[in-house]
Amino acid sequence: MRLPRGYGVLAARLTRWILMGQILRQAVIGLLCLWLHHAYADSVIGECAMRVQFTVGGGIAYLPGLAKPVVIDSDQLTKADVTELKRLVDAANFFALPSKINPPRPGAADYVQYTVTIEQGEQRHTVEWTDLAEEPNLQQLRIFLQAKAKAARAGEGRGDAPD
Amino acid sequence: MCQSIFHHHSIFCILPPNILRSIAHNGTPEQRTAAMHTLGADNTFRTLRASARGPAPAAAQLRARVLAEAQKRRTIYNASNTNNLPGELVRAEGAPPTGDKAVDEAYDGLGATFDFFEKIFGRNSIDDKGMPLDATVHFRLDYNNAFWDGERMTFGDGDGDLFNRFTISLDVIGHELTHGVTQHEAELMNFFQSGALNESMSDVFGSLIKQYVLKQKADQADWLIGAGLLTDKVKGVALRSMKAPGTAFNDKLLGKDPQPAHMKDFVNTFEDNGGVHINSGIPNHAFFLVANELGGYAWEKAGRIWYETLRDSRLNPVSGFRQFAMLTSLNAGRIFGAGSAEQDAVRKGWKSVGIEVESMEWILEAA
C-alpha cells in the first residue's frame, strides 16, 4: 500500500526520532551505570554485596532487647567500612569455618554465645562461637560487628550490644 | 560424718533423728545449724545408699570429702581488658587488698561464698574436695558479663552505660560459683528445664550468700539478683527478682524482664538455651515462697532443703521442675519430719507456682 505524499516523510522522521531517542536513552543509562560502577567499584554492586546477621545470646541474664539479631547490609555501610568488613571476613576465612567452634566444656555456664550468618552472592554460612573459644581473627570480626550493632541500636535509643 | 567441722557438737552423732529435729527447731542458731548439718548428712548417706552409684564407693567418697580440711585458696588474676585468660596474678590467698575494686571484691566474694558453703553446709569448696578458687577480673573491654568456664570465674568491667562492674554484686559472684557446685553435684544440663533449675540453684545460693553476709532474715532480704549492676541510665533494679519474677527491669533498650512466676506462664523457646534464664523464675519464686513461709534465716531451713536436694543422687542431669520439687519435699520430710511444717511449706510453695508434688512423691520414694 502506498502512503499519500507527505505521510511517508512524516513516518520516516518519526522512525528516526524514535531510534535517536532510544539511542540517547541507552547512552544516558550507560553513562549512569559507568558512574555508579566507578563510585562503588569496591563494594556493593551485584554479587559483592554482603548481608550479615549478628546475634548475641547467653550471658548471665536474658535481656530481650539485646538478644534481638542485628542485620548489617553492606549497602548501608561506608566504602571504608565495607572494605574493612570484607577484609575481616576474609581474614577469618569465614566461609570455611565449621558451624560451631570449640563448644564449651561441661559445667560451664553464663558465657556469651555469638552467632553470625553472612550472605554473599551464592554463599551463605553461619558460625557460632562463645567467649570461651574466640580465635583472634574472629575476635576482630566480632568487635567490628558489635560496633555496628551498637550504632544501629543508638539509632533506636540509648545503649550498647551485650558483649 | 562425726569428724566434720562440727566435731565440737559430736553429741549429735549419737542422737536419734527426732531429737536432732527438735534441736533444729528450738536450739540456738549455732545448735540449729549443727543439728541440720547432721540431719542433712544422714539424709545424704541414706540417699546415696539407695542410688545406682553403689553404696561403698559413694560412702567412701563422702567420708573423704568430709575429712578433707577446709581451707580457702583464692587467686585473683587481671586480664587487663584483653581476651587472655587467666591473665596476670594480682592477689593470692592471704595477700592484702590491692586497691583495685574489682580485684578486692572478687577476692572477698570468693571468700564469702567459700565460708557460706563451709560453715552452713560443711562443704569444702566448690567440689567439696578443697578446690582452689580462681577468678579473672577486667576481662575484655566494656565486657557486660560474668561467667563460669567450668574451672574459674571471669568478670567484665561493664560498659558503664548499661552495666557497672560485675564484681559489684555479691550474689552474682555466688551465682557463678554455685554453677561450679552444681557441676560437681547434680550436673544439671544447661538446657531447657534442667538448665533453668541449674540457673535457679545459682540464684538461690547467690542470694543466700548475700543474706548470710548481711545477716538478713527472709523478710529483710531484697531477693534480687544483680542489684547495683545496672547503671542509673537503665530502668530497672537488677537482673532478676526472686520475690516478683518479671519485675526486675523494663527498659527501652534491655526490654522487659521476661521471667514467669508460675507454670501457666512457662515460656517455650529455643532462645537462651531453651529459656534457662527465663523459666528459672518459677523455681526461684517457689524458693522465695518457702523461705518466706518458714521465716528466719533462709539458709537454715529452705536453703538446707535445697542443698540436700542438689546433692540427692535421684536428681539427674536432665531432671525437670517437677522431679526437683518432689525431691525437695521428700528431703524436707527426711530432715524435719514427715508432715512437718517445713515439708508443708515446701509443698505449698511449689503448689503456688503451679507444681503439685504431694500426690506424686510416692513414685520417687518407691524408686
Side-chain angles (χ1 to χ4, degrees), chain A residues 62 65 105 109-110 131 158-159, chain B residues 143 145 149 176 253-254 271:
Chain A
Y62 182 74
R105 64 170 69 95
D110 296 343
D131 284 328
R158 177 205 74 252
Chain B
Y143 183 67
N145 196 32
D149 76 355
E176 294 308 328
L253 192 64
L254 298 188
E271 284 190 63

Side-chain angles (χ1 to χ4, degrees), chain B residues 281-294:
Chain B
I282 295 168
N284 274 1
H285 194 52
F287 181 84
F288 162 77
L289 292 171
V290 174
N292 205 44
E293 174 80 9
L294 293 173

Side-chain angles (χ1 to χ4, degrees), chain A residues 109, chain B residues 179 182 188-190 193-203:
Chain B
H179 277 305
T182 300
L188 291 163
M189 300 271 288
N190 221 344
Q193 275 203 21
S194 60
L197 271 180
N198 190 329
E199 289 299 331
S200 178
M201 296 306 291
S202 283
D203 281 353

